[in-house]
Amino acid sequence: MAPEPILLTPGPLTTQLRTRQAMLRDWGSRDPGFIALTAELRQRLLDVAKGQGSHAAVPLQGSGTFIVEAAIATLIAPGDKLLVLCNGAYGERMVTIARRMGRQVEALSWPEDRVVEPARVAEALRGDPAVTHVALVHCETTTGILNPLPEIAAAVAGAGRHLLLDAMSSFGALPVDLATQPVAAVLASSNKCLEGVPGIGFALVREEMLAARKGNSPSVSLDLEAQWRGFESNGQWRFTPPVQVVAALVEALRLLEAEGGPEARRARYANNLRVLLAGMRRMGFDLYLDEAVQAPIIATFRSPEGFGFRRFYDALAERGFLIYPGKLTQAESFRIGCIGALGQGDFERLLAAVEEVRASA
Ligand SMILES: *Cc1c(COP(=O)(O)O)cnc(C)c1O
């Protein structure tokens, strides 16, 4: 078998060996041992965002989109109206999901290279009293842009509305503090900054908001209230849980704690980004975003004149590095992630490989 690749992607991403080793046993899903593991998982997820006592952690089988869909289905009632703040593909996807669910939804949009502006959000909320909930993407993975969460959370709370936060690509590295920030629901998944393997999405939701939404979801399986009640009554998942993925995620959360928590992880990713940007700039690659709004998650580079992504991708893959295609609607680009169980040395080796590939082109 070929050596394992270094994944420079927004997930699934490079995981620690210990996380993968945690999957090497079987678990009975109704057994007390697994029920205890699930309880530890839910506890640790709340700890990451300081949500103890206010929010409930509800994990669900599936990728990140499944939890976004479950949250919109469960939390938005037919009489509610959702305003989605869009500056990339993941905001657009929330609009699509809400529409498909038959919920009232509207988008407030910005160009892909601009952050969501709190003043415009406040103005839109003043102008439309029908809006009950607002959805924001914390780090828009489309470009890697960081939206100003504290200011937007304050604007939404100031207008008396509820904020749903897609923190899929930031949770575990960029701070979300539910003890001080007014966020009704945070959505994320196992395989991004938590450095677990793919297969679980989860929501941290204000308990009273969940309790008020019994029977609201039009879906049987994508129902956070029903799964929350299940966990509270017998500690079990309603449907077959991905037991090995749960074990790996608990191990990944223990490793996050051992690393020093989200702050230490953010610092490691920020250093990865710093090394990456300096090296790519030296070779003449332009960062798509203004560096002031760039999150230390994933960097988008403009494709140089006459650049062939496929050839570049294949040559780097041959050297053990898997990068990511661009997702911009406006410009030709490619992306390189800074997240995962990677450090400065991995990025120095990547840069040497890029240099070699460019020299031989
Ligand atoms: C990854 C991601 C998702 C979910 O994508 P999946 O492919 O379903 O895991 C949603 N929002 C953002 C911002 C993401 O980065």
Side-chain angles (χ1 to χ4, degrees):
M1 215 162 71
E4 293 194 67
I6 301 272
L7 302 178
L8 298 152
T9 60
L13 39 65
T14 308
T15 55
Q16 291 199 42
L17 182 60
R18 268 181 59 183
T19 297
R20 279 170 283 149
Q21 279 171 336
M23 295 191 286
L24 295 178
R25 64 166 280 184
D26 297 323
W27 297 84
S29 65
R30 313 277 177 210
D31 184 73
F34 185 72
I35 290 173
L37 197 66
T38 296
E40 180 178 348
L41 170 66
R42 296 181 63 220
Q43 189 78 17
R44 284 186 177 276
L45 290 174
L46 286 176
D47 287 344
V48 171
K50 303 189 179 76
Q52 300 290 359
S54 56
H55 290 63
V58 188
L60 210 64
Q61 300 88 339
S63 85
T65 304
F66 290 63
I67 201 74
V68 174
E69 192 144 0
I72 290 174
T74 307
L75 301 177
I76 309 298
D80 293 336
K81 181 174 178 183
L82 179 65
L83 179 70
V84 183
L85 310 174
C86 290
N87 59 346
Y90 292 100
E92 302 289 343
R93 188 179 293 173
M94 285 199 277
V95 175
T96 305
I97 289 171
R99 244 187 222 131
R100 181 70 72 90
M101 292 270 163
R103 298 311 192 226
Q104 296 184 70
V105 59
E106 207 167 295
L108 184 62
S109 300
W110 286 261
E112 288 169 331
D113 60 348
R114 303 294 293 276
V115 294
V116 169
E117 297 157 295
R120 251 189 86 199
V121 175
E123 186 191 314
L125 293 177
R126 273 195 302 276
D128 190 351
V131 170
T132 51
H133 297 72
V134 177
L136 172 73
V137 180
H138 192 192
C139 168
E140 237 310 344
T141 323
T142 306
T143 55
I145 200 167
L146 179 63
N147 284 314
L149 171 62
E151 292 79 2
I152 293 164
V156 172
R161 321 299 168 85
H162 302 293
L163 181 63
L164 313 185
L165 182 68
D166 173 349
M168 210 70 65
S169 63
S170 58
F171 192 86
L174 304 183
V176 176
D177 185 342
L178 296 173
T180 59
Q181 285 170 334
V183 182
V186 180
L187 314 175
S189 69
S190 53
N191 63 271
K192 289 184 178 174
C193 299
L194 293 181
E195 301 185 357
V197 303
I200 295 174
F202 57 88
L204 312 181
V205 191
R206 274 195 190 289
E207 291 205 356
E208 72 271 13
M209 196 155 151
L210 268 177
R213 286 292 180 263
K214 186 178 165 72
N216 188 59
S217 176
S219 162
V220 171
S221 56
L222 300 178
D223 184 339
L224 296 182
E225 190 275 339
Q227 180 56 87
W228 170 60
R229 253 185 310 114
F231 285 136
E232 295 299 312
S233 68
N234 62 12
Q236 299 180 11
W237 297 63
R238 286 197 301 156
F239 309 113
T240 305
V243 290
Q244 281 82 6
V245 179
V246 171
L249 183 53
V250 169
E251 185 62 21
L253 284 160
R254 292 173 186 152
L255 292 169
L256 172 62
E257 185 184 0
E259 184 174 355
E263 187 45 46
R265 184 151 295 179
R266 190 202 59 77
R268 175 163 58 83
Y269 292 169
N271 188 56
N272 289 346
L273 177 71
R274 185 186 60 78
V275 172
L276 175 69
L277 290 189
M280 292 296 279
R281 283 207 176 110
R282 216 172 351 91
M283 288 183 267
F285 289 98
D286 282 339
L287 185 66
Y288 169 72
L289 291 174
D290 181 337
E291 208 175 327
V293 297
Q294 171 71 56
I297 303 293
I298 188 165
T300 301
F301 296 96
R302 289 180 188 279
S303 299
E305 203 65 37
F307 184 75
F309 175 76
R310 191 72 228 181
R311 199 169 39 78
F312 186 62
Y313 178 93
D314 289 342
L316 286 177
E318 234 168 72
R319 291 162 174 80
F321 300 96
L322 304 190
I323 63 167
Y324 219 54
K327 204 181 172 91
L328 298 183
T329 51
Q330 302 297 331
E332 284 298 310
S333 63
F334 64 93
R335 289 178 289 172
I336 298 183
C338 325
I339 60 181
L342 301 172
Q344 179 158 348
D346 297 298
F347 283 84
E348 284 164 354
R349 282 186 286 280
L350 165 73
L351 290 165
V354 172
E355 190 142 35
E356 203 178 287
V357 168
R358 291 292 279 168
S360 67

